[in-house]
Amino acid sequence: MPNGGSDCCGNCRFNRAVQELGEPTGNHDDRFWASSFCTLRDVKITKPFWTYCDNYFSPWPPEPGKAEEPIGWIYASGLYEGYVRIPWHDKTEPCVSISCVCRICGRQTDQGITVTDEGTEIGFCTNRHYVEWWKTKHDDPEISSDDFDPPEECYRDRS
Ligand code: SF4
Ligand SMILES: [Zn+2]
């Protein structure tokens, strides 16, 4: 199975599936997917081989007496423009390659991103417009929508 990097939840010691079933050796069976849950952040991981966060790189074993704290955001694999990662909306996972109308520009697409915010599902045409919206909800100078391709580029060759 392809994936966007080995530093994913599928290989992380905080994933309950890894704790209970061991690290996958190539066969990612249904049980592994069903059991994938981040015990550090207390959140279901629906796509363990396409989900990431910096705690993956935390030193192990931890310093004595020091509790592990979540570091930064969880990231999903974004729409393909090369492999890119887009931040979750706190504990809410964005869904990619979904039919939607873009909240930012109004473009209708069957290859967009949706996310639920305050009980309402909203859509975006591109990683860039998702992150543009995300920035209105979260303050993180390290994340910029400018790092992603503009819609004109993403949709250039599509009718
Ligand atoms: S969200 Fe981070 S800490 Fe949790 S299982 Fe995934 S990589 Fe590990
Ligand atoms: Zn848009």
Side-chain angles (χ1 to χ4, degrees):
M1 172 178 291
N3 70 56
S6 59
D7 56 324
C8 60
C9 302
N11 295 320
C12 179
R13 64 185 177 275
F14 294 110
N15 183 351
R16 185 173 293 153
V18 172
Q19 295 168 359
E20 292 178 351
L21 304 170
E23 289 192 22
T25 54
N27 287 329
H28 309 135
D29 65 15
D30 290 349
R31 207 153 58 102
F32 189 90
W33 286 68
S35 301
S36 282
F37 182 93
C38 179
T39 57
L40 177 65
R41 296 172 182 268
D42 193 30
V43 66
K44 172 69 187 160
I45 302 295
T46 66
K47 302 178 191 72
F49 301 99
W50 298 91
T51 310
Y52 315 87
C53 91
D54 281 350
N55 289 94
Y56 178 91
F57 299 104
S58 297
W60 188 259
E63 288 174 38
K66 196 172 169 206
E68 183 84 16
E69 297 288 342
I71 304 168
W73 312 99
I74 305 174
Y75 289 81
S77 281
L79 293 165
Y80 189 77
E81 51 181 72
Y83 287 114
V84 295
R85 299 178 183 184
I86 56 174
W88 283 28
H89 178 34
D90 290 325
K91 288 189 176 184
T92 304
E93 179 180 14
C95 299
V96 301
S97 301
I98 303 283
S99 210
C100 63
V101 174
C102 183
R103 162 66 68 98
I104 301 290
C105 70
R107 182 187 294 270
Q108 186 154 15
T109 178
D110 59 1
Q111 286 293 306
I113 298 172
T114 59
V115 71
T116 300
D117 178 49
E118 296 178 10
T120 302
E121 186 182 271
I122 49 180
F124 305 93
C125 65
T126 48
N127 298 314
R128 181 184 283 227
H129 278 179
Y130 168 71
V131 172
E132 197 172 312
W133 168 83
W134 186 93
K135 293 282 290 184
T136 68
K137 299 282 181 176
H138 306 281
D139 183 20
D140 186 338
E142 305 267 303
I143 295 178
S144 169
S145 61
D146 292 345
D147 292 339
F148 300 91
D149 290 344
E152 308 79 61
E153 201 164 311
C154 298
Y155 287 88
R156 191 173 42 204
D157 298 327
R158 295 191 228 170
S159 56

